[in-house]
Amino acid sequence: MKIFKFGGASVKDAESVKNVSMVLKSQGFAKCLLVISAMGKTTNELEKVVELYFKKDNYQTEIEKIKRKHIEIAEGLFPENHAVFAEINLFFDDIDSFLRRNKSPNYNFVYDQVVSCGEMISTKIVSEYLNEIQFVNQWLDARDYVKTDNSYREGSVDWTRTEEFISNLNPEICYVTQGFIGSDENNFTVTLGREGSDYSAAIFAYCLNAEAMTIWKDVPGVMTGDPRKFSDVSLLSHISYEEAIEMAYYGASVIHPKTLQPLQQKNIPFYVKSFVDPTKEGTKVGASEKNQQEESYILKEDQALLKISTRDFSFIAEDHMSLIFGYLSKYKIKVSLMQNSAISLALCLEDKFNHIEELNEELQKIFKTEAIKNVSLFTVRNAKMDHIDKFYHGKNVLLEQISKNTLQMVTQ
């Protein structure tokens, strides 16, 4: 089977959904599984619903707005009496019904039950449209197949159970399913982390021993830098799994960090291609003699820099490190860069759940700390070391690190 993943930008309106069918026509719609994200900015809009709900504000108006958008998209795809309109209404009724009866104060739990509906609705619309134009497919609820623990908003996949369920799918037919979501042992929805649809596609690819996996983007492929942030960037037509993993870890937005490991384990080729021009080559990630090691630029924004030192000038020892990383795990804060000396430790952190203040308070009981918010991590992969001075121009560098062929700096 082939796995195709389409993100929110590729299904943002009726014309975009029609374009998906053109992409499939160019690729051959047979023995494939489509993983589809929520339409356009729906995830952001549903996040707003959750925020309003916890503020005890009028979230119903926001739900109505989102529903209206989806109905308008469907009106551009289906005749007015089509059954999909009742399906759309039912999904939004379910959101409202859940919020009315919910008793849980757990923000992350409520978030997952509500925000996941974006994927459910988009896949139903795309699946029904493809069937309407004779691209015959079966709609799947990913929560019946991708099984996780109950770490809401950051679910960890139970690979044994997940592989058991997915391997029962018929490899001779086509499916449409959701990215980003799974379910725990109580069948509550668990999301896999923001932008987790690529990871979902990799999970299905791994469990189905797929021939290849392709994600369709609004860019030509993996570039040497985000064209919205850097000038003079070029396409990387072939890169290794290792290079792609490094780029994703450092923050390359075109690849989700967790996507590559399951593909690498089974040597499944991974393509990043443009849904604007599906005939173009794009980027191939995998084993190849053509793999490139071009100088590449990655900017990871919305980071925090935390400087930690001992109060008595004693060394930062193993027990200190263990304590610090225990707190990082507790608050689900990820380390993007770490630098330590005898008596200090500097951490560039990704604080997805806004716990940096709590972390800092805990650490100040034992250490001296300084927290600097809203910093960026700038990484140059395969840096040409004989002219790295140009990267420092005009930057307020708070921390820098050079290792082999990689230059990193935390800037404000």
Side-chain angles (χ1 to χ4, degrees), residues 198 215 217 219 221-223 251-256 270 272:
D198 292 359
I215 58 174
K217 296 271 189 181
V219 291
V222 179
M223 313 290 285
S253 60
V254 77
I255 306 168
H256 187 273
F270 169 44
V272 182

Side-chain angles (χ1 to χ4, degrees), residues 123-339:
T123 52
K124 183 59 74 170
I125 291 172
V126 172
S127 174
E128 292 285 356
Y129 175 71
L130 292 176
N131 277 322
E132 190 84 356
I133 60 169
Q134 306 308 307
F135 279 172
V136 178
N137 71 90
Q138 185 175 324
W139 181 83
L140 295 182
D141 187 335
R143 297 171 300 184
D144 293 336
Y145 296 88
V146 179
K147 295 298 176 181
T148 72
D149 64 4
N150 63 355
S151 299
Y152 299 109
R153 293 183 72 186
E154 201 71 48
S156 180
V157 174
D158 180 335
W159 282 96
T160 303
R161 293 178 68 220
T162 297
E163 192 165 10
E164 179 188 332
F165 286 116
I166 292 177
S167 62
N168 288 324
L169 294 174
N170 182 351
E172 299 298 315
I173 65 177
C174 294
Y175 297 98
V176 173
T177 193
Q178 307 79 38
F180 181 53
I181 64 173
S183 68
D184 64 17
E185 63 182 2
N186 294 313
N187 292 320
F188 287 118
T189 306
V190 181
T191 63
L192 304 178
R194 202 70 159 79
E195 310 296 338
S197 292
D198 292 359
Y199 184 38
S200 295
I203 292 166
F204 278 99
Y206 176 91
C207 295
L208 289 166
N209 297 306
E211 176 188 327
M213 171 180 146
T214 305
I215 58 174
W216 297 93
K217 296 271 189 181
D218 55 357
V219 291
V222 179
M223 313 290 285
T224 53
D226 185 336
R228 294 165 298 186
K229 297 172 183 174
F230 301 98
S231 56
D232 301 322
V233 295
S234 57
L235 177 71
L236 292 163
S237 58
H238 293 80
I239 55 175
S240 66
Y241 290 117
E242 290 79 8
E243 183 67 17
I245 287 168
E246 292 283 356
M247 291 177 74
Y249 176 77
Y250 292 134
S253 60
V254 77
I255 306 168
H256 187 273
K258 291 181 182 175
T259 302
L260 293 144
Q261 189 182 19
L263 300 176
Q264 184 187 27
Q265 283 182 22
K266 291 193 175 178
N267 202 24
I268 297 169
F270 169 44
Y271 297 89
V272 182
K273 300 180 77 171
S274 169
F275 61 74
V276 179
D277 190 350
T279 60
K280 290 281 177 69
E281 180 185 8
T283 300
K284 180 183 178 183
V285 179
S288 171
E289 293 177 1
K290 300 178 184 177
N291 284 343
Q292 300 158 277
Q293 288 196 319
E294 302 292 326
E295 191 170 78
S296 302
Y297 321 106
I298 303 158
L299 188 65
K300 198 172 187 179
E301 297 173 305
D302 300 320
Q303 303 287 289
L305 180 63
L306 187 62
K307 297 179 178 180
I308 305 165
S309 58
T310 54
R311 292 185 180 279
D312 58 359
F313 289 93
S314 61
F315 291 160
I316 293 275
E318 287 77 6
D319 56 340
H320 293 135
M321 297 286 269
S322 176
L323 181 70
I324 292 164
F325 276 83
Y327 283 133
L328 289 167
S329 176
K330 174 183 173 182
Y331 291 114
K332 297 185 177 180
I333 296 174
K334 294 184 178 176
V335 178
S336 301
L337 180 68
M338 178 175 76
Q339 190 175 93

Side-chain angles (χ1 to χ4, degrees), residues 8 39 73 88 91-92 106-107 150 193 200 203-204 211 261 287 300 329 336 351 362 379 390 406 412:
M39 293 176 150
I73 292 171
I88 293 169
F91 277 122
F92 283 100
N106 183 338
Y107 186 96
N150 63 355
S200 295
I203 292 166
F204 278 99
E211 176 188 327
Q261 189 182 19
K300 198 172 187 179
S329 176
S336 301
D351 180 27
E362 295 262 28
T379 302
K390 66 179 182 179
T406 300
Q412 196 174 34

Side-chain angles (χ1 to χ4, degrees), residues 12 16 24 47 70 121 150 184 230 303 342 358 403:
K12 65 182 179 183
S16 300
L24 295 174
E47 285 177 336
H70 284 79
I121 299 160
N150 63 355
D184 64 17
F230 301 98
Q303 303 287 289
E358 294 161 89
S403 59

Side-chain angles (χ1 to χ4, degrees), residues 341-383:
S341 68
I343 60 171
S344 67
L345 176 67
L347 301 171
C348 181
L349 303 171
E350 183 175 354
D351 180 27
K352 197 181 291 185
F353 301 112
N354 300 312
H355 291 315
I356 194 79
E357 301 281 0
E358 294 161 89
L359 171 68
N360 200 23
E361 281 178 25
E362 295 262 28
L363 293 175
Q364 281 179 344
K365 294 172 186 174
I366 304 165
F367 305 99
K368 286 195 293 186
T369 69
E370 181 189 1
I372 306 169
K373 295 183 181 179
N374 300 317
V375 300
S376 297
L377 175 62
F378 175 51
T379 302
V380 184
R381 286 283 297 163
N382 304 307

Side-chain angles (χ1 to χ4, degrees), residues 85-121:
F85 293 100
E87 295 266 16
I88 293 169
N89 281 311
L90 191 59
F91 277 122
F92 283 100
D93 288 346
D94 283 348
I95 297 173
D96 190 48
S97 173
F98 166 75
L99 290 174
R100 285 178 187 279
R101 70 176 189 272
N102 173 62
K103 297 289 189 291
S104 173
N106 183 338
Y107 186 96
N108 293 337
F109 168 76
V110 174
Y111 177 102
D112 279 4
Q113 310 319 303
V114 172
V115 171
S116 58
C117 291
E119 275 70 18
M120 302 299 290
I121 299 160

